[in-house]
Amino acid sequence: RLRARNRLQVILQHLNMSKQTDSTAEVLLEKKGGAGIITLNRPKVLNALNLSMIQQIYPQIKAWEQDPETFLIVIKGTGGKAFCAGGDIRAITEAGKVGDKLSQDFFRGEYRLNNAIGTCKKPYVALIDGITMGGGVGVSVHGHFRVATEKTIFAMPETAIGLFPDVGGGYFLPRLPGKMGYYLGLTGCRLKGRDVLKAGIATHLVESDKLPALEKDLIALKSPSKEKIADLLNSYHMKCTVDQGKEFVLDEHMEKINSIFSANSVEEIIKKLQQDGSPFAMKQLETINKMSPTSLKLTLRQLREGASMSLQEVLRMEYRLSQACMKGHDFYEGVRAVLIDKDQSPKWKPAAVEEVSDEFVDNCFKPLGKDDLKL
């Protein structure tokens, strides 16, 4: 009997271990030294976040926050291509089409996780190496430290799939310098490497191949304060020479961006782009004309309102918008055109910005009563 009990103990021990370090798990949650390490582990789908990952990460962050032996939290992705390319949009699409609860549960879970990161009492370090878009931005940008590399590609490309820059985009985008956040949110413009730092999205820049050493040094810190962590990150950042002399990619356009994207309506932005007529303006006009007209209108209002809201208020607003999009047409059509059939020619309804009524937009922002997001 004793042997059977010992065997059981060994099995249980093994199960506990494998839960933490099973290389096939979608997310790995490990404690190393004084650091809690979150590894997004779906490299084949560029570490896209699904509901089960969210449901594992959220309680772990909460537990580490309470644990006196955990001094910092680090989040990273596997596979070398992406930190996290976004939420698992395909699963949400399938669910939304048949009215499955996942289309509520996913956004509710994701936004609660964004809020947990934004309010986390322990220093939170995101190593945003590779593609960092949509949901990947949500699990990094609200933390204390965002370490970009020469491989980082940042974008909030949601208006191209009939959605809006969510995961707290309504909070961080309007707080970027000038009207840059409005420009990024409406056009889905991509920023790379040092530009992610210069835009104010990343806090540090470190060479991609130095990240393992940086992680090791973070783990080795003895009961570190936020200042100690900042010092360590700064020391790596100072040594990083990637694109050192290069001008910020949007520098020469900032004046135009600030003047055009300060307009009060999408129609006015389009008009200003047409009037400007420069190659830059024409390129932006072409981009905006491809986006969902409904998404453009929701996004502009989301960013304008979010500029003076708390993160919690923004996430509540965005949850309302997410549910409006789940009930609409453009999200499913956008996902079809961009991700499923890949024909890149969505048929938006309504097809023109002028046809999206203020009344419709107002309705998307209305409280959901007992179904509102609780944080």
Side-chain angles (χ1 to χ4, degrees):
R1 225 174 107 195
L2 191 66
R3 259 173 62 199
R5 207 166 90 212
N6 279 353
R7 200 161 59 224
L8 185 65
Q9 264 173 335
V10 170
I11 290 169
L12 284 174
Q13 229 170 356
H14 180 73
L15 281 173
N16 273 336
M17 291 285 294
S18 68
K19 185 176 136 219
Q20 296 304 314
T21 54
D22 172 14
S23 60
T24 61
E26 297 177 317
V27 58
L28 312 176
L29 303 163
E30 304 163 271
K31 183 76 190 295
K32 292 183 181 175
I37 312 271
I38 302 164
T39 309
L40 307 174
N41 190 34
R42 299 177 74 206
K44 285 199 177 81
V45 289
L46 304 178
N47 300 322
L49 272 185
N50 61 25
L51 185 57
S52 88
M53 292 161 80
I54 290 164
Q55 287 169 338
Q56 291 172 69
I57 298 168
Y58 177 83
Q60 187 63 76
I61 287 178
K62 289 298 188 190
W64 279 333
E65 206 174 8
Q66 299 303 317
D67 174 26
E69 299 299 305
T70 303
F71 302 104
L72 76 152
I73 297 171
V74 176
I75 185 167
K76 59 178 183 168
T78 51
K81 270 195 182 162
F83 163 66
C84 170
D88 196 341
I89 294 291
R90 280 174 178 241
I92 303 159
T93 311
E94 293 311 311
K97 278 184 191 160
V98 296
D100 185 300
K101 242 169 76 324
L102 177 70
S103 54
Q104 295 159 25
D105 296 346
F106 178 85
F107 290 104
R108 194 175 275 136
E110 185 178 30
Y111 298 175
R112 280 180 69 208
L113 175 57
N114 301 148
N115 185 54
I117 292 164
T119 57
C120 189
K121 290 178 185 65
K122 299 283 165 85
Y124 184 96
V125 183
L127 306 177
I128 55 170
D129 190 29
I131 299 166
T132 303
M133 296 185 185
V137 176
V139 292
S140 55
V141 79
H142 304 298
H144 306 97
F145 303 107
R146 285 90 61 192
V147 182
T149 74
E150 72 279 8
K151 292 185 187 170
T152 304
I153 301 174
F154 161 93
M156 294 298 279
E158 288 78 10
T159 53
I161 56 161
L163 212 53
F164 57 95
D166 65 335
V167 296
Y171 182 78
F172 84 86
L173 287 170
R175 285 166 174 76
L176 294 177
K179 294 292 171 187
M180 190 197 305
Y182 292 77
Y183 164 71
L184 295 173
L186 289 163
T187 65
C189 166
R190 296 177 170 207
L191 295 175
K192 294 178 181 152
R194 193 173 283 273
D195 288 331
V196 181
L197 175 82
K198 290 193 168 165
I201 294 152
T203 57
H204 295 81
L205 188 72
V206 172
E207 276 107 340
S208 181
D209 61 6
K210 300 278 195 303
L211 288 183
L214 171 61
E215 190 185 327
K216 224 171 167 170
D217 287 348
L218 283 167
I219 290 165
L221 287 172
K222 295 278 173 266
S223 57
S225 59
K226 205 179 282 181
E227 290 68 38
K228 262 196 196 161
I229 293 164
D231 287 346
L232 176 61
L233 293 172
N234 288 340
S235 73
Y236 272 82
H237 173 76
M238 297 310 279
K239 292 189 200 109
C240 180
T241 55
V242 174
D243 288 340
Q244 219 164 18
K246 223 176 109 220
E247 204 185 304
F248 176 44
V249 68
L250 295 178
D251 254 354
E252 57 176 314
H253 307 300
M254 270 323 287
E255 212 176 306
K256 276 193 197 326
I257 287 171
N258 291 340
S259 113
I260 291 168
F261 288 85
S262 59
N264 296 329
S265 68
V266 179
E267 289 89 336
E268 208 182 315
I269 289 173
I270 289 171
K271 200 165 130 197
K272 283 185 161 194
L273 287 169
Q274 287 165 336
Q275 284 167 347
D276 183 284
S278 65
F280 174 76
M282 290 296 99
K283 202 175 150 211
Q284 307 321 311
L285 186 62
E286 194 189 331
T287 300
I288 279 177
N289 282 334
K290 288 181 183 152
M291 304 305 183
S292 154
T294 301
S295 290
L296 291 170
K297 287 222 165 164
L298 293 181
T299 298
L300 184 60
R301 175 152 163 199
Q302 168 210 3
L303 300 183
R304 290 180 58 131
E305 294 202 2
S308 56
M309 287 178 165
S310 68
L311 176 61
Q312 290 69 38
E313 290 167 331
V314 164
L315 290 167
R316 247 183 299 254
M317 163 179 76
E318 291 180 355
Y319 182 72
R320 292 165 186 170
L321 293 179
S322 77
Q323 297 312 295
C325 290
M326 292 303 106
K327 291 189 179 80
H329 163 273
D330 279 8
F331 171 66
Y332 303 100
E333 175 58 12
V335 172
R336 180 205 66 72
V338 175
L339 299 175
I340 296 170
D341 299 342
K342 296 189 168 76
D343 58 29
Q344 311 302 332
S345 53
K347 307 277 177 282
W348 304 123
K349 282 182 194 167
V353 168
E354 301 75 37
E355 293 165 21
V356 183
S357 72
D358 292 345
E359 187 189 0
F360 173 82
V361 173
D362 288 343
N363 276 330
C364 296
F365 283 82
K366 279 194 176 141
L368 301 171
K370 65 172 177 29
D371 291 331
D372 256 331
L373 177 66
K374 289 161 196 64
L375 293 168

